[in-house]
Amino acid sequence: MRVLQFTDSMFPVGAFAFSNALEPAVQHGVVHDRTTLHEFVRTATHVAAGGDGIGLLESHRATRAGDADRVRRADDAVYARKLNEEMRTMTTRMGRKLVEGAAVVVADPVLTRHAEEVSAGTAPGTYPVAAGVLFAVLGLPEQAAFAAHQYGTATMILGAAVRLMPIHHLDAQTVLFAVNDAAQRHYERVAAATIEDMSSFAPVTDVLAAAHVRAQVRMFIN
């Protein structure tokens, strides 16, 4: 139930305001039907696992070890791999909302300290690191944190898709069901990785996100 509470859309992190680069992908015709949407979400979750997912696991393990410096290094590593302004905005805005809200609800000193560092600007406050800290504080396993993050990546894009495309809600659910099959494989692929192994190679997505900054018509922040 803790997993559900902090990953549910009712918890106010503002994910509804972001499309994770889907909006420019639709505008430029890269995504135009269910098949291309499936490919886009599948790619996004693959990239998320090898980048943000590693940062999340690192922050979870660091929190459990009581190593605040290691958490900050993971936060900096995630932020440094966001190559464009909109992706940096997305991860820090959602991360700040998550850790600030969780610090109030859970009232844990570790969360409070992380929220204070983010507020003071001494830590970027990326979303995957905030999630890793939160799940560790709650005593939930890293696999649950990783799965929740992968699920959230997919649902953010699919939630935007039903507003951007002529696609049925059940088509979006079908894509989500198929993409979720890869979550365990993604975890096994990155479980032994370190922050030095983090990568975020998605050039088409990065170009689309960069172009979106100057788009004249926008429904989403990114």
Side-chain angles (χ1 to χ4, degrees), residues 13 18 52 55-56 59 68 71-80 82 87-101 111 113-133 149:
V13 299
F18 301 95
D52 289 353
L56 181 148
S59 66
V71 171
R72 282 189 287 273
R73 288 195 297 272
D75 211 11
D76 288 337
V78 171
Y79 186 79
K82 301 300 179 185
M87 290 299 184
R88 291 192 295 270
T89 297
M90 180 180 74
T91 194
T92 54
R93 190 168 298 183
M94 289 176 56
R96 177 186 293 265
K97 292 293 185 182
L98 178 64
V99 73
E100 288 178 348
L111 280 172
R113 182 183 64 208
H114 188 59
E116 289 172 348
E117 291 177 351
V118 172
S119 180
T122 56
T126 61
Y127 181 79
V129 168
V133 172
H149 184 267

mmCIF file of all heavy atoms in Angstrom, residues 13 18 52 55-56 59 68 71-80 82 87-101 111 113-133 149:
data_model
loop_
_atom_site.group_PDB
_atom_site.id
_atom_site.type_symbol
_atom_site.label_atom_id
_atom_site.label_comp_id
_atom_site.label_asym_id
_atom_site.label_seq_id
_atom_site.Cartn_x
_atom_site.Cartn_y
_atom_site.Cartn_z
ATOM 1 N N VAL A 13 2.920 15.106 -7.477
ATOM 2 C CA VAL A 13 4.254 15.411 -7.981
ATOM 3 C C VAL A 13 4.195 16.131 -9.325
ATOM 4 O O VAL A 13 5.221 16.581 -9.836
ATOM 5 C CB VAL A 13 5.126 14.137 -8.104
ATOM 6 C CG1 VAL A 13 5.316 13.487 -6.748
ATOM 7 C CG2 VAL A 13 4.541 13.156 -9.103
ATOM 8 N N PHE A 18 3.806 16.665 -17.737
ATOM 9 C CA PHE A 18 4.937 16.297 -18.588
ATOM 10 C C PHE A 18 4.559 15.153 -19.521
ATOM 11 O O PHE A 18 3.767 14.280 -19.163
ATOM 12 C CB PHE A 18 6.135 15.873 -17.724
ATOM 13 C CG PHE A 18 6.598 16.940 -16.783
ATOM 14 C CD1 PHE A 18 6.157 16.974 -15.473
ATOM 15 C CD2 PHE A 18 7.472 17.926 -17.209
ATOM 16 C CE1 PHE A 18 6.581 17.960 -14.595
ATOM 17 C CE2 PHE A 18 7.901 18.921 -16.345
ATOM 18 C CZ PHE A 18 7.454 18.939 -15.039
ATOM 19 N N ASP A 52 18.289 6.628 -15.117
ATOM 20 C CA ASP A 52 17.606 6.953 -13.864
ATOM 21 C C ASP A 52 17.469 5.743 -12.943
ATOM 22 O O ASP A 52 17.543 5.866 -11.716
ATOM 23 C CB ASP A 52 16.215 7.514 -14.152
ATOM 24 C CG ASP A 52 16.261 8.909 -14.757
ATOM 25 O OD1 ASP A 52 17.362 9.486 -14.829
ATOM 26 O OD2 ASP A 52 15.205 9.415 -15.156
ATOM 27 N N GLY A 55 20.522 5.295 -10.920
ATOM 28 C CA GLY A 55 20.579 6.338 -9.891
ATOM 29 C C GLY A 55 19.634 6.055 -8.750
ATOM 30 O O GLY A 55 19.958 6.292 -7.577
ATOM 31 N N LEU A 56 18.452 5.529 -9.062
ATOM 32 C CA LEU A 56 17.486 5.169 -8.031
ATOM 33 C C LEU A 56 18.038 4.054 -7.135
ATOM 34 O O LEU A 56 17.964 4.141 -5.901
ATOM 35 C CB LEU A 56 16.177 4.731 -8.691
ATOM 36 C CG LEU A 56 15.025 4.340 -7.763
ATOM 37 C CD1 LEU A 56 13.695 4.684 -8.415
ATOM 38 C CD2 LEU A 56 15.045 2.851 -7.442
ATOM 39 N N SER A 59 20.792 5.406 -4.856
ATOM 40 C CA SER A 59 20.309 6.233 -3.742
ATOM 41 C C SER A 59 19.590 5.381 -2.699
ATOM 42 O O SER A 59 19.679 5.661 -1.496
ATOM 43 C CB SER A 59 19.386 7.346 -4.254
ATOM 44 O OG SER A 59 18.197 6.827 -4.808
ATOM 45 N N ALA A 68 24.851 9.787 3.296
ATOM 46 C CA ALA A 68 24.220 10.940 2.649
ATOM 47 C C ALA A 68 25.076 11.475 1.504
ATOM 48 O O ALA A 68 24.536 11.960 0.496
ATOM 49 C CB ALA A 68 23.966 12.045 3.673
ATOM 50 N N VAL A 71 24.343 9.551 -1.574
ATOM 51 C CA VAL A 71 23.057 9.963 -2.145
ATOM 52 C C VAL A 71 23.243 11.211 -2.997
ATOM 53 O O VAL A 71 22.719 11.300 -4.120
ATOM 54 C CB VAL A 71 22.016 10.219 -1.040
ATOM 55 C CG1 VAL A 71 20.748 10.849 -1.622
ATOM 56 C CG2 VAL A 71 21.671 8.928 -0.309
ATOM 57 N N ARG A 72 23.995 12.174 -2.492
ATOM 58 C CA ARG A 72 24.219 13.421 -3.243
ATOM 59 C C ARG A 72 24.980 13.150 -4.537
ATOM 60 O O ARG A 72 24.699 13.765 -5.568
ATOM 61 C CB ARG A 72 24.962 14.434 -2.380
ATOM 62 C CG ARG A 72 24.076 15.142 -1.355
ATOM 63 C CD ARG A 72 24.807 16.298 -0.683
ATOM 64 N NE ARG A 72 25.813 15.816 0.251
ATOM 65 C CZ ARG A 72 25.577 15.526 1.529
ATOM 66 N NH1 ARG A 72 24.356 15.674 2.018
ATOM 67 N NH2 ARG A 72 26.542 15.103 2.312
ATOM 68 N N ARG A 73 25.939 12.229 -4.497
ATOM 69 C CA ARG A 73 26.678 11.894 -5.719
ATOM 70 C C ARG A 73 25.753 11.262 -6.758
ATOM 71 O O ARG A 73 25.866 11.554 -7.954
ATOM 72 C CB ARG A 73 27.843 10.958 -5.393
ATOM 73 C CG ARG A 73 28.997 11.627 -4.650
ATOM 74 C CD ARG A 73 30.243 10.766 -4.672
ATOM 75 N NE ARG A 73 30.069 9.484 -3.990
ATOM 76 C CZ ARG A 73 30.270 9.297 -2.689
ATOM 77 N NH1 ARG A 73 30.650 10.311 -1.924
ATOM 78 N NH2 ARG A 73 30.104 8.108 -2.160
ATOM 79 N N ALA A 74 24.844 10.422 -6.299
ATOM 80 C CA ALA A 74 23.877 9.826 -7.224
ATOM 81 C C ALA A 74 22.974 10.898 -7.820
ATOM 82 O O ALA A 74 22.661 10.881 -9.018
ATOM 83 C CB ALA A 74 23.049 8.772 -6.496
ATOM 84 N N ASP A 75 22.555 11.849 -6.999
ATOM 85 C CA ASP A 75 21.695 12.942 -7.456
ATOM 86 C C ASP A 75 22.408 13.759 -8.527
ATOM 87 O O ASP A 75 21.834 14.079 -9.577
ATOM 88 C CB ASP A 75 21.336 13.820 -6.258
ATOM 89 C CG ASP A 75 19.964 14.460 -6.388
ATOM 90 O OD1 ASP A 75 19.196 14.080 -7.294
ATOM 91 O OD2 ASP A 75 19.643 15.329 -5.558
ATOM 92 N N ASP A 76 23.668 14.104 -8.275
ATOM 93 C CA ASP A 76 24.447 14.870 -9.256
ATOM 94 C C ASP A 76 24.632 14.089 -10.550
ATOM 95 O O ASP A 76 24.589 14.664 -11.645
ATOM 96 C CB ASP A 76 25.819 15.221 -8.665
ATOM 97 C CG ASP A 76 25.755 16.272 -7.578
ATOM 98 O OD1 ASP A 76 24.785 17.049 -7.554
ATOM 99 O OD2 ASP A 76 26.671 16.309 -6.735
ATOM 100 N N ALA A 77 24.834 12.766 -10.428
ATOM 101 C CA ALA A 77 25.056 11.938 -11.615
ATOM 102 C C ALA A 77 23.809 11.876 -12.493
ATOM 103 O O ALA A 77 23.895 11.943 -13.723
ATOM 104 C CB ALA A 77 25.478 10.534 -11.191
ATOM 105 N N VAL A 78 22.655 11.745 -11.873
ATOM 106 C CA VAL A 78 21.405 11.723 -12.647
ATOM 107 C C VAL A 78 21.206 13.064 -13.346
ATOM 108 O O VAL A 78 20.906 13.115 -14.551
ATOM 109 C CB VAL A 78 20.198 11.409 -11.729
ATOM 110 C CG1 VAL A 78 18.884 11.611 -12.493
ATOM 111 C CG2 VAL A 78 20.285 9.983 -11.201
ATOM 112 N N TYR A 79 21.379 14.141 -12.623
ATOM 113 C CA TYR A 79 21.166 15.477 -13.188
ATOM 114 C C TYR A 79 22.125 15.748 -14.353
ATOM 115 O O TYR A 79 21.723 16.314 -15.380
ATOM 116 C CB TYR A 79 21.358 16.533 -12.103
ATOM 117 C CG TYR A 79 21.020 17.932 -12.542
ATOM 118 C CD1 TYR A 79 19.701 18.363 -12.619
ATOM 119 C CD2 TYR A 79 22.020 18.839 -12.887
ATOM 120 C CE1 TYR A 79 19.388 19.648 -13.032
ATOM 121 C CE2 TYR A 79 21.717 20.123 -13.288
ATOM 122 C CZ TYR A 79 20.403 20.529 -13.364
ATOM 123 O OH TYR A 79 20.091 21.802 -13.775
ATOM 124 N N ALA A 80 23.380 15.329 -14.203
ATOM 125 C CA ALA A 80 24.387 15.597 -15.229
ATOM 126 C C ALA A 80 24.085 14.889 -16.545
ATOM 127 O O ALA A 80 24.563 15.304 -17.602
ATOM 128 C CB ALA A 80 25.766 15.169 -14.727
ATOM 129 N N LYS A 82 21.110 14.590 -17.898
ATOM 130 C CA LYS A 82 19.956 15.181 -18.582
ATOM 131 C C LYS A 82 20.488 16.244 -19.537
ATOM 132 O O LYS A 82 20.936 17.311 -19.119
ATOM 133 C CB LYS A 82 18.982 15.798 -17.571
ATOM 134 C CG LYS A 82 18.446 14.809 -16.545
ATOM 135 C CD LYS A 82 17.701 13.664 -17.184
ATOM 136 C CE LYS A 82 17.195 12.686 -16.145
ATOM 137 N NZ LYS A 82 16.575 11.496 -16.768
ATOM 138 N N MET A 87 14.167 18.154 -19.862
ATOM 139 C CA MET A 87 14.326 16.933 -19.075
ATOM 140 C C MET A 87 14.856 17.242 -17.678
ATOM 141 O O MET A 87 14.471 16.599 -16.695
ATOM 142 C CB MET A 87 15.244 15.948 -19.798
ATOM 143 C CG MET A 87 14.627 15.347 -21.052
ATOM 144 S SD MET A 87 13.118 14.409 -20.716
ATOM 145 C CE MET A 87 12.745 13.762 -22.337
ATOM 146 N N ARG A 88 15.726 18.231 -17.580
ATOM 147 C CA ARG A 88 16.207 18.648 -16.253
ATOM 148 C C ARG A 88 15.062 19.244 -15.434
ATOM 149 O O ARG A 88 14.938 18.981 -14.238
ATOM 150 C CB ARG A 88 17.352 19.654 -16.398
ATOM 151 C CG ARG A 88 18.636 19.058 -16.945
ATOM 152 C CD ARG A 88 19.814 20.003 -16.789
ATOM 153 N NE ARG A 88 19.655 21.214 -17.584
ATOM 154 C CZ ARG A 88 20.082 21.345 -18.842
ATOM 155 N NH1 ARG A 88 20.672 20.325 -19.450
ATOM 156 N NH2 ARG A 88 19.923 22.475 -19.498
ATOM 157 N N THR A 89 14.233 20.050 -16.097
ATOM 158 C CA THR A 89 13.081 20.628 -15.410
ATOM 159 C C THR A 89 12.141 19.542 -14.904
ATOM 160 O O THR A 89 11.671 19.591 -13.760
ATOM 161 C CB THR A 89 12.313 21.575 -16.355
ATOM 162 O OG1 THR A 89 13.165 22.659 -16.728
ATOM 163 C CG2 THR A 89 11.066 22.126 -15.680
ATOM 164 N N MET A 90 11.875 18.547 -15.744
ATOM 165 C CA MET A 90 10.964 17.478 -15.363
ATOM 166 C C MET A 90 11.475 16.727 -14.134
ATOM 167 O O MET A 90 10.738 16.547 -13.158
ATOM 168 C CB MET A 90 10.780 16.490 -16.525
ATOM 169 C CG MET A 90 9.846 15.332 -16.203
ATOM 170 S SD MET A 90 9.645 14.173 -17.594
ATOM 171 C CE MET A 90 11.239 13.339 -17.543
ATOM 172 N N THR A 91 12.726 16.285 -14.165
ATOM 173 C CA THR A 91 13.216 15.436 -13.079
ATOM 174 C C THR A 91 13.360 16.198 -11.773
ATOM 175 O O THR A 91 13.084 15.654 -10.704
ATOM 176 C CB THR A 91 14.545 14.763 -13.468
ATOM 177 O OG1 THR A 91 14.825 13.713 -12.532
ATOM 178 C CG2 THR A 91 15.709 15.740 -13.499
ATOM 179 N N THR A 92 13.749 17.476 -11.826
ATOM 180 C CA THR A 92 13.919 18.225 -10.581
ATOM 181 C C THR A 92 12.595 18.720 -10.020
ATOM 182 O O THR A 92 12.413 18.746 -8.800
ATOM 183 C CB THR A 92 14.876 19.412 -10.777
ATOM 184 O OG1 THR A 92 14.437 20.225 -11.876
ATOM 185 C CG2 THR A 92 16.286 18.928 -11.058
ATOM 186 N N ARG A 93 11.664 19.078 -10.882
ATOM 187 C CA ARG A 93 10.368 19.545 -10.373
ATOM 188 C C ARG A 93 9.602 18.393 -9.716
ATOM 189 O O ARG A 93 9.047 18.544 -8.624
ATOM 190 C CB ARG A 93 9.547 20.178 -11.491
ATOM 191 C CG ARG A 93 8.308 20.892 -10.988
ATOM 192 C CD ARG A 93 7.668 21.752 -12.056
ATOM 193 N NE ARG A 93 8.546 22.805 -12.520
ATOM 194 C CZ ARG A 93 8.191 23.726 -13.412
ATOM 195 N NH1 ARG A 93 6.969 23.713 -13.924
ATOM 196 N NH2 ARG A 93 9.048 24.651 -13.795
ATOM 197 N N MET A 94 9.591 17.250 -10.375
ATOM 198 C CA MET A 94 8.901 16.102 -9.790
ATOM 199 C C MET A 94 9.630 15.579 -8.553
ATOM 200 O O MET A 94 9.000 15.185 -7.573
ATOM 201 C CB MET A 94 8.773 14.990 -10.835
ATOM 202 C CG MET A 94 7.776 15.303 -11.934
ATOM 203 S SD MET A 94 7.718 14.017 -13.222
ATOM 204 C CE MET A 94 7.348 12.563 -12.239
ATOM 205 N N GLY A 95 10.958 15.594 -8.591
ATOM 206 C CA GLY A 95 11.729 15.132 -7.440
ATOM 207 C C GLY A 95 11.528 16.003 -6.224
ATOM 208 O O GLY A 95 11.371 15.504 -5.097
ATOM 209 N N ARG A 96 11.513 17.313 -6.445
ATOM 210 C CA ARG A 96 11.290 18.240 -5.333
ATOM 211 C C ARG A 96 9.906 18.027 -4.717
ATOM 212 O O ARG A 96 9.763 17.971 -3.490
ATOM 213 C CB ARG A 96 11.418 19.686 -5.824
ATOM 214 C CG ARG A 96 11.141 20.744 -4.750
ATOM 215 C CD ARG A 96 11.154 22.137 -5.363
ATOM 216 N NE ARG A 96 12.477 22.498 -5.814
ATOM 217 C CZ ARG A 96 13.352 23.196 -5.099
ATOM 218 N NH1 ARG A 96 13.013 23.611 -3.876
ATOM 219 N NH2 ARG A 96 14.537 23.492 -5.572
ATOM 220 N N LYS A 97 8.894 17.883 -5.563
ATOM 221 C CA LYS A 97 7.534 17.677 -5.053
ATOM 222 C C LYS A 97 7.429 16.360 -4.285
ATOM 223 O O LYS A 97 6.751 16.285 -3.247
ATOM 224 C CB LYS A 97 6.535 17.692 -6.208
ATOM 225 C CG LYS A 97 6.356 19.040 -6.880
ATOM 226 C CD LYS A 97 5.704 20.037 -5.942
ATOM 227 C CE LYS A 97 5.409 21.342 -6.652
ATOM 228 N NZ LYS A 97 4.802 22.347 -5.729
ATOM 229 N N LEU A 98 8.089 15.324 -4.786
ATOM 230 C CA LEU A 98 8.018 14.028 -4.116
ATOM 231 C C LEU A 98 8.661 14.075 -2.743
ATOM 232 O O LEU A 98 8.060 13.651 -1.748
ATOM 233 C CB LEU A 98 8.697 12.952 -4.966
ATOM 234 C CG LEU A 98 8.736 11.555 -4.334
ATOM 235 C CD1 LEU A 98 7.326 11.001 -4.153
ATOM 236 C CD2 LEU A 98 9.576 10.603 -5.197
ATOM 237 N N VAL A 99 9.867 14.610 -2.652
ATOM 238 C CA VAL A 99 10.577 14.568 -1.371
ATOM 239 C C VAL A 99 9.965 15.544 -0.369
ATOM 240 O O VAL A 99 9.882 15.249 0.827
ATOM 241 C CB VAL A 99 12.087 14.810 -1.576
ATOM 242 C CG1 VAL A 99 12.390 16.270 -1.904
ATOM 243 C CG2 VAL A 99 12.875 14.372 -0.351
ATOM 244 N N GLU A 100 9.506 16.699 -0.845
ATOM 245 C CA GLU A 100 8.863 17.650 0.069
ATOM 246 C C GLU A 100 7.556 17.081 0.611
ATOM 247 O O GLU A 100 7.277 17.182 1.817
ATOM 248 C CB GLU A 100 8.612 18.978 -0.649
ATOM 249 C CG GLU A 100 9.863 19.793 -0.918
ATOM 250 C CD GLU A 100 9.583 21.076 -1.669
ATOM 251 O OE1 GLU A 100 8.457 21.244 -2.193
ATOM 252 O OE2 GLU A 100 10.494 21.920 -1.754
ATOM 253 N N GLY A 101 6.752 16.498 -0.270
ATOM 254 C CA GLY A 101 5.489 15.920 0.179
ATOM 255 C C GLY A 101 5.690 14.726 1.082
ATOM 256 O O GLY A 101 5.036 14.590 2.125
ATOM 257 N N LEU A 111 14.355 11.912 5.216
ATOM 258 C CA LEU A 111 13.611 12.609 4.167
ATOM 259 C C LEU A 111 13.642 14.121 4.374
ATOM 260 O O LEU A 111 13.798 14.887 3.422
ATOM 261 C CB LEU A 111 12.156 12.128 4.148
ATOM 262 C CG LEU A 111 11.875 10.802 3.444
ATOM 263 C CD1 LEU A 111 10.434 10.376 3.693
ATOM 264 C CD2 LEU A 111 12.133 10.915 1.949
ATOM 265 N N ARG A 113 15.942 15.880 5.839
ATOM 266 C CA ARG A 113 17.282 16.386 5.484
ATOM 267 C C ARG A 113 17.436 16.493 3.977
ATOM 268 O O ARG A 113 17.960 17.504 3.466
ATOM 269 C CB ARG A 113 18.350 15.457 6.056
ATOM 270 C CG ARG A 113 19.790 15.933 5.764
ATOM 271 C CD ARG A 113 20.793 14.924 6.290
ATOM 272 N NE ARG A 113 20.654 13.650 5.594
ATOM 273 C CZ ARG A 113 20.964 12.476 6.131
ATOM 274 N NH1 ARG A 113 21.386 12.399 7.383
ATOM 275 N NH2 ARG A 113 20.823 11.363 5.432
ATOM 276 N N HIS A 114 16.985 15.489 3.256
ATOM 277 C CA HIS A 114 17.108 15.532 1.792
ATOM 278 C C HIS A 114 16.254 16.666 1.225
ATOM 279 O O HIS A 114 16.698 17.394 0.329
ATOM 280 C CB HIS A 114 16.684 14.197 1.185
ATOM 281 C CG HIS A 114 16.965 14.088 -0.285
ATOM 282 N ND1 HIS A 114 18.231 14.217 -0.816
ATOM 283 C CD2 HIS A 114 16.134 13.890 -1.346
ATOM 284 C CE1 HIS A 114 18.176 14.089 -2.132
ATOM 285 N NE2 HIS A 114 16.912 13.904 -2.476
ATOM 286 N N ALA A 115 15.050 16.840 1.755
ATOM 287 C CA ALA A 115 14.186 17.931 1.301
ATOM 288 C C ALA A 115 14.831 19.286 1.566
ATOM 289 O O ALA A 115 14.751 20.200 0.730
ATOM 290 C CB ALA A 115 12.827 17.841 1.991
ATOM 291 N N GLU A 116 15.484 19.420 2.703
ATOM 292 C CA GLU A 116 16.153 20.682 3.040
ATOM 293 C C GLU A 116 17.324 20.951 2.106
ATOM 294 O O GLU A 116 17.567 22.097 1.701
ATOM 295 C CB GLU A 116 16.614 20.648 4.493
ATOM 296 C CG GLU A 116 15.464 20.725 5.498
ATOM 297 C CD GLU A 116 15.921 20.504 6.933
ATOM 298 O OE1 GLU A 116 17.079 20.062 7.133
ATOM 299 O OE2 GLU A 116 15.126 20.774 7.861
ATOM 300 N N GLU A 117 18.075 19.908 1.756
ATOM 301 C CA GLU A 117 19.193 20.078 0.824
ATOM 302 C C GLU A 117 18.702 20.497 -0.554
ATOM 303 O O GLU A 117 19.304 21.364 -1.206
ATOM 304 C CB GLU A 117 19.993 18.781 0.730
ATOM 305 C CG GLU A 117 20.775 18.435 1.992
ATOM 306 C CD GLU A 117 21.488 17.104 1.880
ATOM 307 O OE1 GLU A 117 21.231 16.371 0.895
ATOM 308 O OE2 GLU A 117 22.303 16.785 2.772
ATOM 309 N N VAL A 118 17.611 19.892 -0.997
ATOM 310 C CA VAL A 118 17.043 20.253 -2.288
ATOM 311 C C VAL A 118 16.543 21.690 -2.262
ATOM 312 O O VAL A 118 16.782 22.475 -3.188
ATOM 313 C CB VAL A 118 15.897 19.280 -2.658
ATOM 314 C CG1 VAL A 118 15.167 19.757 -3.911
ATOM 315 C CG2 VAL A 118 16.438 17.864 -2.859
ATOM 316 N N SER A 119 15.854 22.057 -1.193
ATOM 317 C CA SER A 119 15.342 23.421 -1.066
ATOM 318 C C SER A 119 16.460 24.451 -1.032
ATOM 319 O O SER A 119 16.333 25.541 -1.592
ATOM 320 C CB SER A 119 14.495 23.533 0.209
ATOM 321 O OG SER A 119 13.988 24.837 0.363
ATOM 322 N N ALA A 120 17.589 24.090 -0.391
ATOM 323 C CA ALA A 120 18.723 25.008 -0.274
ATOM 324 C C ALA A 120 19.568 25.057 -1.542
ATOM 325 O O ALA A 120 20.439 25.914 -1.675
ATOM 326 C CB ALA A 120 19.594 24.600 0.909
ATOM 327 N N GLY A 121 19.315 24.136 -2.472
ATOM 328 C CA GLY A 121 20.077 24.110 -3.713
ATOM 329 C C GLY A 121 21.392 23.379 -3.629
ATOM 330 O O GLY A 121 22.202 23.438 -4.564
ATOM 331 N N THR A 122 21.641 22.671 -2.535
ATOM 332 C CA THR A 122 22.890 21.912 -2.407
ATOM 333 C C THR A 122 22.773 20.524 -3.022
ATOM 334 O O THR A 122 23.769 19.800 -3.106
ATOM 335 C CB THR A 122 23.306 21.781 -0.927
ATOM 336 O OG1 THR A 122 22.232 21.172 -0.186
ATOM 337 C CG2 THR A 122 23.589 23.158 -0.334
ATOM 338 N N ALA A 123 21.572 20.131 -3.427
ATOM 339 C CA ALA A 123 21.334 18.883 -4.147
ATOM 340 C C ALA A 123 20.319 19.171 -5.241
ATOM 341 O O ALA A 123 19.381 19.945 -5.015
ATOM 342 C CB ALA A 123 20.817 17.799 -3.211
ATOM 343 N N PRO A 124 20.485 18.586 -6.437
ATOM 344 C CA PRO A 124 19.550 18.871 -7.531
ATOM 345 C C PRO A 124 18.118 18.446 -7.227
ATOM 346 O O PRO A 124 17.177 19.103 -7.650
ATOM 347 C CB PRO A 124 20.124 18.068 -8.705
ATOM 348 C CG PRO A 124 21.525 17.758 -8.337
ATOM 349 C CD PRO A 124 21.580 17.693 -6.846
ATOM 350 N N GLY A 125 17.961 17.319 -6.521
ATOM 351 C CA GLY A 125 16.619 16.848 -6.200
ATOM 352 C C GLY A 125 15.949 16.127 -7.347
ATOM 353 O O GLY A 125 14.761 16.331 -7.609
ATOM 354 N N THR A 126 16.684 15.255 -8.028
ATOM 355 C CA THR A 126 16.100 14.523 -9.151
ATOM 356 C C THR A 126 15.068 13.512 -8.654
ATOM 357 O O THR A 126 15.161 13.000 -7.538
ATOM 358 C CB THR A 126 17.177 13.788 -9.955
ATOM 359 O OG1 THR A 126 17.841 12.836 -9.116
ATOM 360 C CG2 THR A 126 18.197 14.770 -10.512
ATOM 361 N N TYR A 127 14.122 13.204 -9.523
ATOM 362 C CA TYR A 127 13.021 12.326 -9.126
ATOM 363 C C TYR A 127 13.473 10.910 -8.778
ATOM 364 O O TYR A 127 13.057 10.368 -7.745
ATOM 365 C CB TYR A 127 11.959 12.291 -10.219
ATOM 366 C CG TYR A 127 10.782 11.423 -9.862
ATOM 367 C CD1 TYR A 127 9.786 11.891 -9.007
ATOM 368 C CD2 TYR A 127 10.656 10.122 -10.354
ATOM 369 C CE1 TYR A 127 8.709 11.097 -8.658
ATOM 370 C CE2 TYR A 127 9.582 9.323 -10.007
ATOM 371 C CZ TYR A 127 8.615 9.819 -9.163
ATOM 372 O OH TYR A 127 7.547 9.035 -8.804
ATOM 373 N N PRO A 128 14.303 10.246 -9.594
ATOM 374 C CA PRO A 128 14.677 8.873 -9.233
ATOM 375 C C PRO A 128 15.437 8.781 -7.916
ATOM 376 O O PRO A 128 15.249 7.820 -7.155
ATOM 377 C CB PRO A 128 15.535 8.404 -10.411
ATOM 378 C CG PRO A 128 15.927 9.632 -11.131
ATOM 379 C CD PRO A 128 14.841 10.627 -10.899
ATOM 380 N N VAL A 129 16.266 9.760 -7.611
ATOM 381 C CA VAL A 129 16.999 9.736 -6.339
ATOM 382 C C VAL A 129 16.041 9.975 -5.177
ATOM 383 O O VAL A 129 16.127 9.306 -4.140
ATOM 384 C CB VAL A 129 18.145 10.766 -6.356
ATOM 385 C CG1 VAL A 129 18.736 10.959 -4.961
ATOM 386 C CG2 VAL A 129 19.227 10.310 -7.327
ATOM 387 N N ALA A 130 15.117 10.910 -5.344
ATOM 388 C CA ALA A 130 14.111 11.138 -4.299
ATOM 389 C C ALA A 130 13.307 9.871 -4.047
ATOM 390 O O ALA A 130 13.017 9.504 -2.899
ATOM 391 C CB ALA A 130 13.186 12.280 -4.708
ATOM 392 N N ALA A 131 12.942 9.156 -5.121
ATOM 393 C CA ALA A 131 12.182 7.911 -4.980
ATOM 394 C C ALA A 131 13.003 6.841 -4.277
ATOM 395 O O ALA A 131 12.488 6.098 -3.432
ATOM 396 C CB ALA A 131 11.728 7.418 -6.349
ATOM 397 N N GLY A 132 14.295 6.763 -4.609
ATOM 398 C CA GLY A 132 15.155 5.789 -3.952
ATOM 399 C C GLY A 132 15.269 6.039 -2.468
ATOM 400 O O GLY A 132 15.200 5.105 -1.650
ATOM 401 N N VAL A 133 15.443 7.302 -2.096
ATOM 402 C CA VAL A 133 15.516 7.660 -0.678
ATOM 403 C C VAL A 133 14.207 7.320 0.022
ATOM 404 O O VAL A 133 14.193 6.715 1.100
ATOM 405 C CB VAL A 133 15.846 9.163 -0.520
ATOM 406 C CG1 VAL A 133 15.729 9.594 0.950
ATOM 407 C CG2 VAL A 133 17.242 9.462 -1.046
ATOM 408 N N HIS A 149 9.296 2.992 -10.535
ATOM 409 C CA HIS A 149 9.846 4.029 -11.406
ATOM 410 C C HIS A 149 9.636 3.685 -12.878
ATOM 411 O O HIS A 149 9.257 4.541 -13.690
ATOM 412 C CB HIS A 149 11.332 4.232 -11.127
ATOM 413 C CG HIS A 149 11.933 5.351 -11.920
ATOM 414 N ND1 HIS A 149 12.557 5.150 -13.139
ATOM 415 C CD2 HIS A 149 11.981 6.688 -11.692
ATOM 416 C CE1 HIS A 149 12.970 6.310 -13.613
ATOM 417 N NE2 HIS A 149 12.628 7.253 -12.756
#
